[in-house]
Amino acid sequence: MLKVGIIGTGAMGTQHFRRMVTLMSNVEVVAVSDVNEANATSLIKSFPGIRFIADAHALIRDPEVQAILIASSSPTHEDYCLTAIEEQKPVFCEKPLSVTSEGAKKVVEAEMKGGKRLIQLGFNRRFDSGFMQLHDILASGKLGDALLAHCSHRAPRVPDWYSTTMAITETLVHEIDIMSWIFNDYFISAQVVMPRKHPDASAILQDPQVILLTTSRGALVMVDVFVNCQYGYDIQCDIVAEKGTARLPDLAKIVVRHDASCGFEIGSDGLKHFEESYNREIQCWIDAAITGEIKSGPSSWDGYKVAVVTDSAVKAQTSGAIEPIAALETPAFYRS
Ligand SMILES: NC(=O)c1ccc[n+]([C@@H]2O[C@H](COP(=O)([O-])OP(=O)(O)OC[C@H]3O[C@@H](n4cnc5c(N)ncnc54)[C@H](O)[C@@H]3O)[C@@H](O)[C@H]2O)c1
C-alpha cells in the first residue's frame, strides 16, 4: 500500500484525491496540504485518518508520506519537486514541471544527480485511449511518416486571470507533448498567428490563437487554442501522413436523433472529458511509485522539452516571427 501526501486541493487535487480514495488500488492518502486551509480541511473532514499539514515541505518530509502528488498552482511545482527529490520520494506532478525552462532544467539535473527517475508528469493525454490509438497507428508505419496535424483545443470560457501567455503555458503544453510523442519527433520552430479577438475575451487575453509548430523532419502541427468558444469542451486532432490519415475518435456517446437534428453531447468540462486518462495515469504512477522508482510515463525530461518549446512559442506571440526552438539531446538517463 503506497502512502501518499497530496499538495494542492483545488480543482485538480480534489479530483485526484477522490479517485485515490474511491477507485485506485494499492494506495492510501495519508495527508494533504494547501495554502487554503479551509478548502483542504473540508475535503478531508469525512476521512478521520487523513492529516492536514500546513507546510507542504513538511508534508514531503513527513516520515509517513512515501510518495507525493503535486496539484498546487503551476509556479509551486518546481520547488516541491526539488524537495521531494532531496527526500528521494516518488512524485506525480501536474503539468507544467516548472513555469520556466531554467526551472525545469534544475529539476531534471537534481533528479539525474539522485540517480533514479522519481517524477511522472501529468501529461494525461498519453493515457487517453484516442490519443494512444493515434500514437500506435503512426508507430506501426502503416500510414507512412506524418506530414501534418490539425488540432483544436477549445474550452467554453476561462476565468478573468487567464492571459494570452497562459494559452501557451497552461493549454498548448498538452499538444506540444502529445504531438511530439505521436510524431516521434521534436519541434524546431514556433509561430503564432492571432485572428480577430473574440468579443468575450478579457483585456489580458488574445483568443483564439493559432500556433504553428514545425518538427525536425519537416512536419507541421497547427493548433487552434480557443478558450472562449462558448459551445463546449472540444479536443480535435486530425493527422495527415504519407499513405493515409488518422483522426481522434469522437467521444463514445450515444447519437441522438431528435427534433429534426442528429448528434451527441460533447460536454463542457475538461476534467470530465479526460477522466479515464486521469484514472489510468494515476494508477500507472501508483504501481510504479510502490517500487520506489518511476520507469514509464511522461518524465521530467518531457516536461523540460515542453518548457523549451513553450519559451519559443511565447516569444513568437509578441514577435510575430517564426521563432527557432533550441535543440536538446535526450540524456541516456531518460531513454527507456
Ligand atoms: N493535466 C491536466 O489536464 C490539468 C488540468 C487542470 C489543471 N492542471 C494543472 O493542475 C494544477 C492545479 O490546477 P487547478 O485547476 O486545480 O487549480 P486550482 O486553482 O483549482 O488549485 C490550485 C490549488 O493550489 C493551492 N496552492 C496555491 N499555492 C500553493 C502553495 N504554495 N502550496 C500549496 N498549495 C498551493 C491553491 O490554494 C489551490 O487550492 C495546475 O498546475 C494546472 O496546470 C492540469
Side-chain angles (χ1 to χ4, degrees), residues 7-13 33-36 71-74 76-77 80 94-96 122 124 170 174 271 278:
I7 303 174
T9 53
M12 207 62 209
S33 183
D34 197 298
V35 288
N36 186 332
S72 43
S73 313
S74 301
T76 66
H77 296 182
Y80 294 147
E94 263 310 336
K95 58 82 190 163
N124 59 294
E170 285 291 328
H174 283 294
L271 299 190
Y278 297 130

Side-chain angles (χ1 to χ4, degrees), residues 1-16:
M1 188 70 74
L2 184 74
K3 296 191 172 181
V4 171
I6 296 182
I7 303 174
T9 53
M12 207 62 209
T14 294
Q15 287 242 343
H16 288 321

Side-chain angles (χ1 to χ4, degrees), residues 293-308:
E293 190 168 5
I294 308 293
K295 291 194 172 137
S296 63
S299 64
S300 50
W301 179 258
D302 294 312
Y304 174 46
K305 280 195 301 186
V306 168
V308 169

Side-chain angles (χ1 to χ4, degrees), residues 63-262:
E64 194 191 10
V65 172
Q66 297 170 325
I68 297 100
L69 185 144
I70 301 172
S72 43
S73 313
S74 301
T76 66
H77 296 182
E78 174 191 333
D79 197 25
Y80 294 147
C81 281
L82 289 172
T83 303
I85 291 169
E86 261 171 44
E87 294 293 305
Q88 285 289 287
K89 291 185 182 178
V91 176
F92 178 87
C93 179
E94 263 310 336
K95 58 82 190 163
L97 182 60
S98 164
V99 289
T100 66
S101 56
E102 295 78 22
K105 192 174 179 194
K106 260 198 235 163
V107 176
V108 160
E109 285 171 351
E111 190 179 39
M112 286 173 67
K113 201 167 160 208
K116 62 177 175 180
R117 266 185 62 185
L118 289 171
I119 297 176
Q120 181 181 322
L121 202 62
F123 286 134
N124 59 294
R125 289 187 184 188
R126 295 204 198 185
F127 297 87
D128 173 81
S129 69
F131 279 109
M132 288 194 286
Q133 289 175 63
L134 286 182
H135 173 269
D136 291 350
I137 189 133
L138 264 288
S140 75
K142 184 174 164 180
L143 303 183
D145 205 4
L147 299 170
L148 61 92
H150 299 259
C151 307
S152 296
H153 193 147
R154 299 182 189 155
R157 59 200 62 81
V158 281
D160 285 350
W161 43 259
Y162 183 103
S163 66
T164 298
T165 311
M166 290 170 90
I168 306 281
T169 60
E170 285 291 328
T171 302
L172 181 77
V173 286
H174 283 294
E175 274 78 16
I176 298 173
D177 177 69
I178 199 71
M179 295 317 297
S180 65
W181 184 62
I182 290 173
F183 278 18
N184 189 25
D185 203 353
Y186 56 92
F187 294 114
I188 59 162
S189 74
Q191 185 183 8
V192 181
V193 181
M194 312 259 192
R196 183 172 68 82
K197 179 169 163 166
H198 189 282
D200 287 358
S202 76
I204 58 163
L205 174 62
Q206 165 62 45
D207 186 50
Q209 301 179 33
V210 179
I211 300 95
L212 306 171
L213 299 166
T214 314
T215 74
S216 79
R217 296 200 297 277
L220 183 66
V221 173
M222 294 168 271
V223 188
D224 74 79
V225 172
F226 184 17
V227 292
N228 280 284
C229 81
Q230 316 282 313
Y231 68 87
Y233 184 79
D234 193 12
I235 301 296
Q236 298 179 33
C237 179
D238 198 355
I239 295 173
V240 179
E242 291 163 347
K243 295 186 229 169
T245 71
R247 187 182 171 81
L248 190 68
D250 284 323
L251 299 177
K253 291 282 176 75
I254 56 162
V255 175
V256 176
R257 287 176 169 77
H258 175 67
D259 202 15
S261 71
C262 170

